[in-house]
Amino acid sequence: MTVRTRFAPSPTGRLHLGNIRAAAFNWLFTRHHDGVFILRIEDTDTARNVEGSEQGILDDMRWLGLDWDEGLDVDGPHGPYRQSGRGDLHDAAVEKLIATGHAYPCFCAEKKRDDEAGGDRVARRYAGTCRRRSAEERASRVASGAEHVIRFAVPDDVDQVEFVDEIFGPISFPTNDIDDFVLRRTDGRVTYNFGVVADDIDMEITHVIRGVGHLSNTPKQVLLFQAFEAATPVFAHLPTVLGSDGRKLSKRAGATPVNELESRGYPPDAVLNYLSLLGWSHPEEKEVLTRAELVAAMSLDRVGKSDTQMDAEKLLWVCQQHLAMESLEDLTDHVGPFIDRDRFAGLDADASSAVDALRTRLLTYGNINEHLGMLFPEDEVAAVSIRREVGADAEARAVLTAVRARLEALESWQAETLNDAVRAGGGDAGARGAGLFHPLRLVLIGAEKGPDVGKLLAGVGKTEAFRRIDEALS
Ligand code: GLU
């Protein structure tokens, strides 16, 4: 059996870390099983649709590397993949349920429905007036154009809806507590529970992986699968993600929009890695995993039930670990677009030496400007006065002079050869350790401690390095 999954967001705004997690789990699970991953847009609740958010969803999915095999912009044999375009398919599915006695038209006005229901506990329960009408009466009212919804006829002969959730275990829900819910509204649009089941059947979905918030919808959906005499998919509800404050996820406490992470230069593979840890754990409890390792290790049996919590610091830590795994070439490519070239005009077109000097400090690609300030300080006045002070010290001056001579003799300006030259210069001046490196760093970056001196010299660039040393010696 081919695993077929779907991510079915509603276009109600930008995706944030909390809601793209379900996409990440679906994608990892599907790629693990060489399955088919579908992107379906559930846009039938037109009042909640937000212009432009569909495109945002596609962009965010692509940025995170969650490619889909069928769906918007890709197409496939089960389209259309935008729910609003599936009206005819939904109507046919509604007719099928009416024909088999699992659904019926209801003409009760909203107001009347409530009045009939009476009482408080069951205030919003449907009283069943139209369910009791004869099939002939209902058909003739429909034929005469009476406004109506279509309701599901919850079976009387089933006490409990039962299903097994892969994560939450066996679930049993009394059918008595389920109303004859609406499948299609008066304006012809289907409701969420109906659309989702009709489409999951049509798209041959084998595994429904989504947030636990939908667990309460599942009994209704299981009843619908049964009414259609369709195989019920495997359900796997992912545990709740709470905000960093331990409360319901909110923008302030971790529901960061995905595009914001993109523009702040978070590495997508690290974000995917972090998302995987929101509910799942690696068999060996490894926390830093590449995309390929995540795909290889993902399984639903290591997803827990317990609530998880957003943790912005942990996310940055995972990002840092991922940056450390990148080759210098890749890292330079990724960091490049974030560099503020106006502010750091002194930086070489090829920023790789500077990136190399700073890479262990970077948490994200976008973080580069914060650290480039160390190599190219904005406060030139302060930098100059530090250099002069160093130059005024006889010992430091001897070190700088000796190192300068060794640097001058170099043919190439690379971190390793630069380090050798610095040591040789130190030897000439009888200095090593702090006596050698502190004056050099002070002259180069205004601080005694910092990155490797060879990398600093390379990062600052030859012309600028000489200019700074000469300023100290002048
Ligand atoms: N459109 C629903 C949502 O955005 C999808 C739920 C589901 O996966 O069934 O929550």
Side-chain angles (χ1 to χ4, degrees):
M1 177 195 70
T2 305
V3 164
R4 292 177 61 87
T5 61
R6 84 300 192 277
F7 177 52
S10 299
T12 54
R14 289 305 293 227
L15 291 174
H16 57 67
L17 275 181
N19 45 35
I20 207 167
R21 179 192 61 152
F25 275 71
N26 271 290
W27 185 86
L28 289 169
F29 177 79
T30 312
R31 293 293 171 253
H32 177 91
H33 290 283
D34 282 324
V36 175
F37 177 50
I38 297 171
L39 177 63
R40 178 171 81 215
I41 299 288
E42 302 204 327
D43 59 347
T44 56
D45 192 353
T46 39
R48 293 182 62 228
N49 291 348
V50 172
E51 170 103 25
S53 54
E54 185 179 294
Q55 187 56 44
I57 290 167
L58 304 186
D59 293 347
D60 293 343
M61 296 279 289
R62 290 201 173 103
W63 175 75
L64 201 55
L66 307 181
D67 59 330
W68 53 99
D69 310 296
E70 292 177 27
L72 257 71
D73 276 7
V74 173
D75 248 335
H78 300 273
Y81 294 92
R82 195 181 281 114
Q83 225 171 28
S84 57
R86 300 179 63 82
D88 291 347
L89 292 163
H90 293 155
D91 287 345
V94 163
E95 290 312 322
K96 199 166 157 187
L97 287 192
I98 294 176
T100 53
H102 291 290
Y104 59 92
C106 166
F107 312 92
C108 301
E110 195 109 23
K111 167 99 179 39
K112 179 147 172 279
R113 259 178 259 149
D114 291 345
D115 292 350
E116 276 181 6
D120 15 287
R121 201 186 71 79
V122 285
R124 285 185 11 255
R125 243 186 117 87
Y126 177 56
T129 314
C130 290
R131 183 171 176 157
R132 291 188 294 271
R133 292 185 207 279
S134 71
E136 295 70 39
E137 185 192 348
R138 294 192 297 230
S140 86
R141 283 202 183 205
V142 170
S144 69
E147 188 169 83
H148 62 279
V149 299
I150 301 295
R151 282 182 186 279
F152 184 62
V154 174
D156 312 303
D157 54 344
V158 185
D159 281 350
Q160 303 281 328
V161 195
E162 284 168 355
F163 62 96
V164 179
D165 186 87
E166 284 296 290
I167 296 160
F168 284 82
I171 309 270
S172 172
F173 198 86
T175 41
N176 257 338
D177 290 350
I178 304 177
D179 209 2
D180 276 4
F181 52 97
V182 173
L183 306 179
R184 193 175 65 194
R185 305 173 174 98
T186 49
D187 63 7
R189 288 175 303 130
V190 293
T191 55
Y192 159 69
N193 278 314
F194 184 74
V196 92
V197 172
D199 293 348
D200 283 349
I201 292 173
D202 186 57
M203 295 179 186
E204 297 172 18
I205 299 302
T206 60
H207 293 73
V208 170
I209 304 171
R210 59 187 174 194
V212 68
H214 285 294
L215 191 58
S216 58
N217 288 317
T218 311
K220 287 181 183 171
Q221 295 177 11
V222 169
L223 286 177
L224 282 168
F225 278 104
Q226 290 170 350
F228 279 115
E229 289 177 32
T232 309
V234 172
F235 288 103
H237 287 89
L238 305 171
T240 304
V241 183
L242 296 171
S244 50
D245 54 3
R247 300 197 202 162
K248 192 175 175 301
L249 193 57
S250 64
K251 172 122 203 248
R252 194 177 34 79
T256 315
V258 176
N259 63 323
E260 206 173 297
L261 295 179
E262 179 182 6
S263 63
R264 277 156 51 191
Y266 279 59
D269 283 22
V271 175
L272 179 67
N273 183 172
Y274 175 74
L275 289 173
S276 78
L277 303 177
L278 293 174
W280 172 84
S281 62
H282 184 269
E284 288 147 44
E285 305 287 333
K286 283 192 200 163
E287 293 199 302
V288 180
L289 297 144
T290 63
R291 183 175 292 265
E293 287 169 334
L294 287 169
V295 167
M298 179 48 69
S299 73
L300 294 176
D301 56 16
R302 295 203 54 87
V303 180
K305 296 191 231 291
S306 317
D307 293 355
T308 59
Q309 213 165 315
M310 281 293 179
D311 182 343
E313 267 175 43
K314 174 92 178 254
L315 169 58
L316 282 173
W317 177 81
V318 175
C319 289
Q320 189 177 27
Q321 307 309 309
H322 275 255
L323 294 195
M325 294 193 283
E326 289 194 30
S327 69
L328 178 59
E329 200 183 349
D330 286 347
L331 186 57
T332 306
D333 280 351
H334 292 143
V335 158
F338 292 94
I339 295 176
D340 183 344
R341 288 281 175 185
D342 292 333
R343 184 169 154 207
F344 301 112
L347 179 65
D348 287 351
D350 166 24
S352 65
S353 301
V355 171
D356 195 27
L358 302 171
R359 62 174 299 163
T360 58
R361 289 155 195 263
L362 293 182
L363 300 177
T364 65
Y365 304 137
N367 212 207
I368 186 73
N369 295 311
E370 252 168 71
H371 298 289
L372 273 175
M374 173 163 69
L375 299 190
F376 301 97
E378 274 184 305
D379 188 350
E380 188 56 19
V381 179
V384 171
S385 99
I386 294 174
R387 284 172 209 148
R388 297 252 155 92
E389 216 174 290
V390 177
D393 178 273
E395 264 172 57
R397 198 176 179 83
V399 168
L400 292 177
T401 311
V403 169
R404 192 191 189 290
R406 290 285 186 166
L407 293 178
E408 188 108 71
L410 284 180
E411 275 168 20
S412 80
W413 198 259
Q414 311 269 294
E416 305 84 69
T417 48
L418 287 164
N419 264 322
D420 292 342
V422 166
R423 288 211 178 77
D428 299 342
R432 57 193 179 87
L436 170 63
F437 299 117
H438 287 187
L440 274 167
R441 281 207 198 88
L442 278 170
V443 165
L444 291 170
I445 58 168
E448 289 180 342
K449 302 239 158 77
D452 172 79
V453 168
K455 289 189 177 178
L456 277 182
L457 286 163
V460 164
K462 186 172 178 176
T463 316
E464 183 61 14
F466 276 116
R467 193 185 70 75
R468 293 181 191 181
I469 294 170
D470 290 342
E471 206 160 59
L473 293 174
S474 69

